[in-house]
Amino acid sequence: MTAAIEFDQVSVVFPARERGGAPWRAIAHTSLSVEVGEFVSVVGPTGCGKSTLLNLAAGLLAPSAGTVRVFGQPLIGINRRAGYMFQTDALLPWRTALDNVTFGLELRGVPRTEANERGRYWLAKVGLAHAAERYPHQLSGGMKKRVAMAQTLIVEPDILLMDEPFSALDVQTRQLMENELLALWQAERRSVLFITHDLEEAIALSDRVVVLSAGPDTHPIGEFPIDLARPRDVAEIRLTPEFLGIHERIWAVLRDEVLKGYVQTTT
Amino acid sequence: MSKRPPKLWPWQVALALFVFAAWWGLTATHILSPFFFGEPLVVLQRIVQWFASGSIWPHLGVTLLETLLAFVLGTVLGVAIGLWLALAPVASALADPYIKAANAMPRVILAPIFSVWFGLGIASKVALGVTLVFFIVFFNVYQGIREVSPVILANARMLGANRRQLLRHIYLPSATAWVFSSLHTSVGMAFVGAVVGEYLGSAKGVGYLILQAEGTFDINSVFAGILVLTAFALLLDALVTLTERRLLKWRPPTIAETL
Ligand SMILES: Nc1ncnc2c1ncn2[C@@H]1O[C@H](COP(=O)(O)OP(=O)(O)OP(=O)(O)O)[C@@H](O)[C@H]1O
Ligand SMILES: [Mg+2]
């Protein structure tokens, strides 16, 4: 079966930031795939290249070497099958929450009334029905994230690329959104590449957790299948002994890298 | 929300009255020569007379028409060329030194040339105003396009926007915000272009009125003309503020506005 996303010996080198400096080898010889319908999480120390990996999958960045394939086809230009939820704020400041959510539909020429109807449905789904007419600067950080999630999901992409989507949310909202995402993913068999710095979140959501090494020359140093039963409740599953066992095994690998990554960003 | 801002306007009116009274006192007692500094009561009388007889309207009409045309033409040109150069790096690199030179040049100097080219009518004043307005709008649009957040652009592209849709949904709204932030200055500049143009040679307009009065040492009419111009400049500025409020309601209020 062809994978939804396949990184084949991919490397990324960023040009030197100042003159005379050495180029930054962000990602080196990375091979990784997300099967159709699979939920894969990537964890790794800060600055190791997680967002860079997603940009590759989105087609926003071309690899310096190697190939990215989407459903078997080499990716050239933007990945039309993917929806991308960015790590930083990406809402259009001159559009209301509703108009932001319906933006993708408008680009596809969906009639206004239908787009608004679907937009309101999605806003309600992320708990923001009351904030439809607000502009981004009138929303809190967590509310903006939820609008961004509705904006990405409304166009029903086959592949979901999510870059720390829930890190700005409080614990309760976060668990609601995580369960919502799981329900959606299970119903529609989307393929998800999910980035987080929260190992517990990664385990609770995923079929597979990939640990990246600290940069430079970031590459996967461990892949852990998560064979916890589905459907899961993200809050309850954290208390099971299986969960704790997996957490311990992955953390043993991740801990050293986090320390290395920390030393690197501070020196 | 509990603390209401203190009412300032009575004080502002009082300040105006005080300045006017001081002016009157100093000239009436001949501490300042009325020949050079005018007489406030005569100035007021002159203004009332202009409006009562209606003789001011054709002049004001011409000045405002020139302002409007200069503003609209300058803005349209500024937006079009700003968009084009910001999105075409090669053309922009090529044009860069010339744009810098044209902007650095004191463009009021062009007024005599425009008079020769376009005659003493409206066209030469509009041309002068356009050169003043164009650069303000142009630089703001250029800046606005350059500063569009790359994440917002990437987001729009991921959601399926093609080049034309990026222009319509991302670049244009972003540029509009910058154009509006410069609107006060550019409307003011259009006005300056019109009045200075008239002052340097014309047969109509408030600038022409002032020039005439100056020629006959009628300092009171000069002051009256200046006051009328100032009043209309304020009026134009208020109109801009009103439009801005309507069109830019998506923008967070600046710190000054929330105080
Ligand atoms: N355009 C670029 N030019 C040069 N260096 C870059 C560029 N983009 C990213 N980098 C560098 O590549 C490395 C990886 O960046 P990336 O944003 O992918 O990290 P990350 O794993 O997402 O970090 P975080 O968890 O903090 O979001 C960093 O060291 C960063 O400084
Ligand atoms: Mg990142």
Side-chain angles (χ1 to χ4, degrees):
Chain A
M1 198 171 77
T2 54
I5 310 172
E6 186 190 353
F7 297 91
D8 184 2
Q9 289 293 316
V10 168
S11 300
V12 174
V13 180
F14 288 116
R17 273 163 256 191
E18 64 255 30
R19 239 151 53 103
W24 179 258
R25 302 190 310 271
I27 290 181
H29 312 294
T30 292
S31 294
L32 176 72
S33 59
V34 180
E35 302 303 326
V36 176
E38 196 185 19
F39 197 125
V40 176
S41 286
V42 173
V43 291
T46 178
C48 73
K50 302 184 294 294
S51 298
T52 306
L53 207 61
L54 273 202
N55 287 338
L56 285 171
L60 292 168
L61 179 73
S64 315
T67 327
V68 179
R69 291 192 197 89
V70 174
F71 294 105
Q73 301 295 316
L75 178 60
I76 301 158
I78 293 287
N79 184 349
R80 293 264 155 243
R81 312 274 306 256
Y84 192 163
M85 215 184 132
F86 292 83
Q87 183 173 13
T88 48
D89 206 6
L91 296 178
L92 283 63
W94 46 83
R95 284 176 166 250
T96 61
L98 179 63
D99 290 344
N100 259 294
V101 173
T102 57
F103 184 41
L105 298 180
E106 193 181 329
L107 294 174
R108 282 163 179 71
V110 174
R112 183 102 214 141
T113 41
E114 189 199 329
N116 279 346
E117 204 172 298
R118 283 166 66 184
R120 285 187 193 281
Y121 166 81
W122 273 101
L123 271 179
K125 215 162 175 142
V126 295
L128 288 176
H130 61 285
E133 304 307 324
R134 292 207 214 159
Y135 288 94
H137 80 267
Q138 298 164 323
L139 300 170
S140 74
M143 289 160 104
K144 280 188 233 182
K145 280 279 173 192
R146 286 185 275 158
V147 174
M149 175 144 153
Q151 185 185 51
T152 310
L153 290 174
I154 198 171
V155 296
E156 302 178 344
D158 298 321
I159 301 170
L160 269 177
L161 309 170
M162 309 183 90
D163 199 346
E164 305 195 11
F166 303 137
S167 53
L169 303 181
D170 62 278
V171 181
Q172 282 78 27
T173 320
R174 182 172 183 157
Q175 290 178 347
L176 281 175
M177 302 299 297
E178 285 168 354
N179 281 333
E180 191 66 56
L181 176 64
L182 278 186
L184 249 157
W185 163 76
Q186 218 143 23
E188 319 257 343
R189 259 180 80 78
R190 305 244 161 84
S191 315
V192 183
L193 186 53
F194 188 95
I195 287 186
T196 174
H197 55 238
D198 180 348
L199 183 52
E200 290 191 25
E201 179 178 53
I203 300 171
L205 294 173
S206 318
D207 294 321
R208 195 147 50 96
V209 173
V210 176
V211 180
L212 292 183
S213 69
D217 291 334
T218 296
H219 55 98
I221 49 169
E223 287 198 18
F224 299 85
I226 312 294
D227 40 18
L228 301 170
R230 299 210 189 247
R232 301 175 189 165
D233 180 284
V234 290
E236 284 164 17
I237 203 158
R238 282 170 214 234
L239 308 172
T240 61
E242 296 94 322
F243 183 96
L244 295 173
I246 295 171
H247 188 277
E248 207 165 309
R249 273 177 31 233
I250 304 182
W251 179 238
V253 176
L254 185 57
R255 186 180 41 212
D256 296 343
E257 292 306 318
V258 169
L259 283 176
K260 268 190 238 163
Y262 180 71
V263 170
Q264 217 143 61
T265 49
T266 50
T267 52
Chain B
M1 289 294 131
S2 59
K3 212 177 74 180
R4 275 221 246 124
K7 275 210 187 103
L8 277 180
W9 68 264
W11 295 100
Q12 289 165 335
V13 171
L15 187 64
L17 286 177
F18 171 77
V19 169
F20 205 76
W23 181 16
W24 176 77
L26 288 171
T27 49
T29 53
H30 286 262
I31 294 172
L32 290 177
S33 154
F35 181 75
F36 291 116
F37 291 92
E39 291 154 282
L41 292 181
V42 182
V43 169
L44 277 187
Q45 219 174 5
R46 190 72 33 96
I47 295 177
V48 170
Q49 195 185 325
W50 278 347
F51 280 96
S53 70
S55 67
I56 187 84
W57 291 117
H59 294 291
L60 254 180
V62 165
T63 304
L64 289 178
L65 180 66
E66 289 160 356
T67 304
L68 188 75
L69 285 176
F71 170 70
V72 170
L73 280 176
T75 304
V76 168
L77 279 176
V79 168
I81 297 182
L83 272 175
W84 175 53
L85 284 189
L87 296 175
V90 178
S92 139
L94 203 68
D96 185 61
Y98 301 101
I99 287 166
K100 284 212 179 95
N103 184 46
M105 177 177 65
R107 288 181 298 283
V108 175
I109 268 299
L110 294 174
I113 301 182
F114 287 146
S115 301
V116 174
W117 288 354
F118 302 117
L120 291 178
I122 283 185
S124 58
K125 285 82 196 167
V126 173
L128 183 62
V130 165
T131 62
L132 296 177
V133 171
F134 170 81
F135 283 94
I136 299 169
V137 174
F138 169 81
F139 282 114
N140 274 287
V141 169
Y142 192 77
Q143 188 81 354
I145 300 293
R146 284 302 175 90
E147 306 226 328
V148 171
S149 146
V151 184
I152 292 180
L153 268 180
N155 190 22
R157 288 171 70 201
M158 288 308 295
L159 287 168
N162 56 32
R163 229 183 119 71
R164 199 176 45 78
Q165 287 171 322
L166 284 184
L167 190 69
R168 153 116 174 62
H169 292 289
I170 310 291
Y171 289 120
L172 266 180
S174 175
T176 311
W178 282 76
V179 169
F180 268 93
S181 70
S182 65
L183 214 58
H184 291 279
T185 332
S186 49
V187 168
M189 277 300 180
F191 203 51
V192 167
V195 174
V196 170
E198 287 166 4
Y199 186 76
L200 292 177
S202 63
K204 240 187 190 149
V206 183
Y208 166 78
L209 267 189
I210 294 178
L211 181 65
Q212 286 286 300
E214 214 179 76
T216 56
F217 295 105
D218 179 4
I219 202 75
N220 289 320
S221 291
V222 173
F223 274 116
I226 293 173
L227 282 181
V228 169
L229 280 181
T230 309
F232 274 84
L234 281 176
L235 202 73
L236 284 177
D237 204 62
L239 272 175
V240 171
T241 307
L242 216 70
T243 332
E244 208 174 32
R245 287 237 177 95
R246 280 184 57 90
L247 286 179
L248 289 186
K249 59 176 191 287
W250 57 268
R251 265 213 312 211
T254 60
I255 293 169
E257 280 164 334
T258 52
L259 279 181

